[in-house]
Amino acid sequence: MENTFQKTLVAVLTFGGGIALLCIFVFIHINQGNVSIPVSTVRDAIFAPEDTLAHHTVRVLRLPRAVMGILAGGALAVAGVVLQTVTKNPLASASTLGIHSGTYFAVVATTVFFPAVLVGNGIIAAFLGGIITFLIVFILSGGNSATPVRMVLAGMIVTFLFSSLTSVLQIFYENETAGLFLWGSGTLVQNDWSGVHFSWPFILAGFIVLLFMAFRLDTLSLGDDVAIALGQNVNTVKFISVIAAVMLTSVTVSVVGPIGFVGLVAPHIIKLIGYRKHLPLIIASFIWGGNVLLFADILARIIDPSFSELPVGAITALIGAPWLIWLVLRLKRAKYGDEVTSVTAGKTTMDMSLKVVIPMLIVLIVLVFCISLASGNYGFEPMVTLQALFGESNDFMKGLIVDLRLPRALVALLSGMVLAVSGLIFQGVLRNPLADPSVIGITSGAGVGALLTMYVFGVSAAWIPVGAIIGSFVFFLMVMIFAIRAEFKPTILALLGIGVSAFGSAIVQILVVRADIGVASALTWLSGTTYAKGWSELVNYLVWPVVIIFPLLVIRMRVLDTLALGDDTAKGLGMRVMSARFQLAFLATLLAALSVAAVGAIGFVGLIAPHIARLLVGPANQRLLPVTILIGGALLVVADLFSRTLLAPNEIPSGVLVAIIGAPYFLWLMKKRA
């Protein structure tokens, strides 16, 4: 009797309480704005409308936004439930599997290249982009044998790739994509009922289909073998469920943009309450998904009550990233194992001698460096470059090559070296082959610190690197605290890094919108660029870390080899493990922060360079260090050269090019190890 009463109470609080909270949020949401409207007026406008300005404001401007928030939040939450069941991955959602980035890229690309076919808010493009992205992630992570970690990591890399491609389109087609930056960060802004009228039939259809599939999803959650034994066509169930989930996601993206983490937070709230059957789980997740998204939008307008809209997607990331971190720590006892090390660490395939590798890399760098100096808007001019360097040219060409191209190429070279070494150290310290300043959130922290310094505290530009360093160290401390909690398990740390990085990126998005930075310039800086970098960046941020920190690391590289043996062995050899980790991670963080201060948030260099080095010379860190330094420098010099010449006179941010090169390589590596 008591058990029945308890279940009834839980159901009443889950469904009745959820709907009641939804009504409260709707009233609060409608009453937010530059003009305060009494609750009685809101009630009358909804239930007894009159032809007055206040009633029109409620019914035409504010109510559609609230209703769209309920529909979008509910759709994303239900999609999250289905994706978690089909992929057997408690961390799955449209954002963690990269579906949002795929749908967003598809809509932006269609807007730029095929505007004539952009019908119905771009839902067809969004749907196709979502389906293709899901298939890419599903196949590359191992298909039906994919583990939760492998799938989320594939989603992360695909997100990096599509985000970079989207940034390229937005930078080069700023007029065609005008207004898509705020939408691309997720916004519930509605000027009328058109968004609601367009989306509700699709959302209702997807919701009903999944309600009919609920009992089959219950069976599917028991495992494929059990479902087949019970006479179920597993592939059909998965196909229909994924199509419905992607449709819910794509219709939401087509109206309000990619809003992340709702599909992760809301389903887990219901699961924590105790629901496992899919019928109540889907219904309750819809209700609480609406609550999560409305609460985030309310919070966004409390933070910034002015006319400038904060992207609600950034607020959901601020809420959802800590939730993801908590969820990963809570699930750390699950069967994650240490598969990431076998997935991506890379096996020695060449075992080349340093006497061969280092001269080859130096020759490559010199060759690319010379080509970079001789290339520009006037084509390839090696003779003119030689004359400018040796004082036999006119002042214009001398200034162009000596004062612009030369320092820029040197900045790219040293930035690449610094980032590569930072990644190598983090991979060794955290025992995580996916560790990289951009992946584990250090770069995001540096970006947050730099933007706070520039646009909140309003100090001079000379203090920007100080802000970047402080921000990166705050995030570094967060990562190290989580690393200790996770017992330095590589798989757990990879997932925690995604959460920390998403949290930092959300703050950066909010600061960009609040500071009203131009979209193209903001995207360029956030992507990382060597554009217009000169002697000041070289001297202030890059020369002294190479001169001072690199020699220190040469002396300390044996420590990384000892840490690789495991904590117990390292302690047995007399090492103070925690102190050694913090000292090395401190130096790696300092390197990453200085790089961000010089060239912005360039990712993937610190991820790719150590992997290529391992493939060439093996895992010994003393051999890896010089090779990683040279590969990192070569990567960014090549990226800088292509950034200037591929679409000259336009420029692609170097960080975007590195991501476009690095993401496919990493996905190939994952597929190869699958």
Side-chain angles (χ1 to χ4, degrees):
M1 184 71 178
E2 185 178 342
N3 193 32
T4 305
F5 173 75
Q6 189 176 2
K7 286 183 178 179
T8 305
L9 182 62
V10 168
V12 168
L13 290 175
T14 302
F15 295 94
I19 292 171
L21 185 62
L22 204 56
C23 293
I24 293 169
F25 280 159
V26 168
F27 273 104
I28 294 172
H29 192 276
I30 289 174
N31 201 42
Q32 281 185 304
N34 294 296
V35 178
S36 182
I37 299 175
V39 174
S40 58
T41 306
V42 173
R43 184 193 61 224
D44 292 340
I46 295 172
F47 298 108
E50 298 175 3
D51 190 16
T52 64
L53 180 61
H55 283 206
H56 281 297
T57 301
V58 171
R59 292 178 65 84
V60 179
L61 294 178
R62 298 190 180 179
L63 191 57
R65 179 170 179 158
V67 173
M68 196 63 239
I70 296 170
L71 291 174
L76 291 172
V78 171
V81 170
V82 173
L83 291 171
Q84 287 162 25
T85 299
V86 170
T87 62
K88 301 180 181 62
N89 181 357
L91 303 175
S93 71
S95 49
T96 55
L97 297 186
I99 295 173
H100 274 152
S101 63
T103 53
Y104 182 33
F105 170 71
V107 172
V108 172
T110 307
T111 302
V112 171
F113 299 114
F114 310 106
V117 300
L118 201 67
V119 294
N121 283 22
I123 186 173
I124 296 173
F127 178 75
L128 291 175
I131 287 289
I132 292 169
T133 306
F134 176 80
L135 289 174
I136 290 171
V137 171
F138 187 71
I139 292 168
L140 291 177
S141 58
N144 287 324
S145 62
T147 60
V149 176
R150 193 188 295 267
M151 190 168 285
V152 173
L153 292 176
M156 175 192 73
I157 302 298
V158 166
T159 298
F160 273 136
L161 176 60
F162 281 130
S163 297
S164 299
L165 292 172
T166 305
S167 295
V168 171
L169 293 179
Q170 287 183 299
I171 290 167
F172 287 114
Y173 298 94
E174 191 172 6
N175 293 331
E176 289 86 346
T177 60
L180 290 181
F181 183 70
L182 179 62
W183 173 81
S185 302
T187 177
L188 293 179
V189 174
Q190 302 290 306
N191 295 321
D192 52 34
W193 285 94
S194 60
V196 174
H197 288 155
F198 169 77
S199 60
W200 78 260
F202 292 101
I203 293 173
L204 180 62
F207 185 70
I208 291 172
V209 167
L210 291 173
L211 286 180
F212 276 111
M213 299 294 293
F215 296 111
R216 292 179 175 84
L217 289 170
D218 289 338
T219 309
L220 190 65
S221 63
L222 299 174
D224 289 4
D225 294 338
V226 175
I228 291 169
L230 293 172
Q232 197 168 109
N233 190 327
V234 170
N235 290 332
T236 302
V237 173
K238 287 183 177 180
F239 177 77
I240 295 172
S241 301
V242 168
I243 290 292
V246 173
M247 186 182 76
L248 289 174
T249 303
S250 57
V251 71
T252 304
V253 170
S254 67
V255 178
V256 299
I259 298 175
F261 289 101
V262 176
L264 191 68
V265 174
H268 280 287
I269 291 174
I270 309 306
K271 289 176 181 177
L272 286 172
I273 292 171
Y275 287 100
R276 292 293 181 271
K277 298 291 185 183
H278 280 79
L279 188 63
L281 188 57
I282 288 171
I283 297 170
S285 294
F286 189 94
I287 296 168
W288 284 89
N291 276 320
V292 168
L293 192 49
L294 276 186
F295 172 72
D297 204 37
I298 290 168
L299 192 59
R301 291 198 282 179
I302 290 173
I303 295 171
D304 185 4
S306 67
F307 280 110
S308 64
E309 285 282 347
L310 280 186
V312 70
I315 304 299
T316 58
L318 281 181
I319 299 168
W323 186 277
L324 174 63
I325 291 168
W326 173 81
L327 196 61
V328 170
L329 290 173
R330 182 172 178 267
L331 296 172
K332 72 178 182 180
R333 289 182 293 276
K335 296 179 181 178
Y336 285 158
D338 288 327
E339 85 249 24
V340 174
T341 51
S342 63
V343 170
T344 56
K347 298 176 183 177
T348 306
T349 56
M350 299 183 189
D351 198 19
M352 296 173 68
S353 167
L354 290 183
K355 293 179 181 179
V356 176
V357 174
I358 290 177
M360 282 174 54
L361 290 172
I362 291 173
V363 169
L364 174 65
I365 289 171
V366 171
L367 182 63
V368 176
F369 206 86
C370 293
I371 294 171
S372 180
L373 291 182
S375 302
N377 293 342
Y378 301 101
F380 182 58
E381 302 173 308
M383 295 308 299
V384 173
T385 303
L386 285 173
Q387 290 170 0
L389 289 173
F390 295 103
E392 299 173 4
S393 180
N394 61 61
D395 290 340
F396 173 75
M397 289 307 299
K398 198 167 187 176
L400 178 67
I401 292 169
V402 176
D403 296 330
L404 295 178
R405 292 183 190 171
L406 178 60
R408 172 172 172 164
L410 287 170
V411 165
L413 177 68
L414 295 191
S415 294
M417 291 178 170
V418 165
L419 284 171
V421 173
S422 180
L424 176 65
I425 301 302
F426 274 124
Q427 288 171 20
V429 166
L430 300 177
R431 291 190 314 201
N432 179 3
L434 284 173
D436 164 78
S438 59
V439 173
I440 63 174
I442 304 299
T443 302
S444 292
V448 170
L451 284 175
L452 282 173
T453 304
M454 283 188 281
Y455 300 109
V456 177
F457 300 116
V459 297
S460 67
W463 288 92
I464 291 173
V466 176
I469 292 168
I470 292 171
S472 63
F473 278 111
V474 170
F475 277 60
F476 156 68
L477 289 174
M478 288 169 56
V479 170
M480 292 305 289
I481 290 167
F482 293 140
I484 294 168
R485 286 284 307 277
E487 300 166 357
F488 289 94
K489 290 182 179 176
T491 50
I492 308 299
L493 273 173
L495 297 174
L496 291 172
I498 294 172
V500 172
S501 189
F503 185 76
S505 298
I507 297 175
V508 168
Q509 273 188 334
I510 291 170
L511 290 173
V512 166
V513 174
R514 286 296 305 272
D516 196 25
I517 310 171
V519 171
S521 60
L523 285 170
T524 301
W525 189 87
L526 291 172
S527 302
T529 180
T530 47
Y531 175 72
K533 304 302 178 186
W535 294 112
S536 61
E537 286 83 9
L538 193 70
V539 173
N540 293 336
Y541 310 138
L542 297 172
V543 169
W544 65 268
V546 172
V547 172
I548 297 173
I549 299 177
F550 280 16
L552 282 175
L553 290 173
V554 170
I555 299 169
R556 302 281 290 169
M557 286 313 283
R558 288 185 182 274
V559 175
L560 280 185
D561 288 326
T562 308
L563 287 174
L565 300 174
D567 287 2
D568 293 337
T569 304
K571 288 175 184 175
L573 294 171
M575 179 181 288
R576 297 171 61 186
V577 172
M578 198 57 66
S579 173
R581 286 190 196 281
F582 268 88
Q583 288 172 21
L584 286 169
F586 176 89
L587 293 175
T589 302
L590 186 58
L591 290 173
L594 289 166
S595 175
V596 172
V599 295
I602 293 180
F604 273 103
V605 175
L607 196 63
I608 299 169
H611 282 274
I612 297 175
R614 287 190 191 95
L615 292 171
L616 292 175
V617 299
N621 284 291
Q622 285 182 307
R623 286 165 58 85
L624 276 176
L625 181 63
V627 178
T628 301
I629 288 172
L630 293 173
I631 290 174
L635 273 173
L636 206 48
V637 170
V638 170
D640 176 62
L641 171 62
F642 286 146
S643 76
R644 290 194 298 109
T645 56
L646 275 182
L647 297 175
N650 296 320
E651 286 214 18
I652 306 170
S654 304
V656 169
L657 269 180
V658 173
I660 292 171
I661 297 167
Y665 165 77
F666 221 77
L667 290 170
W668 169 80
L669 201 59
M670 287 192 72
K671 178 62 178 171
K672 187 180 177 184
R673 300 281 187 265

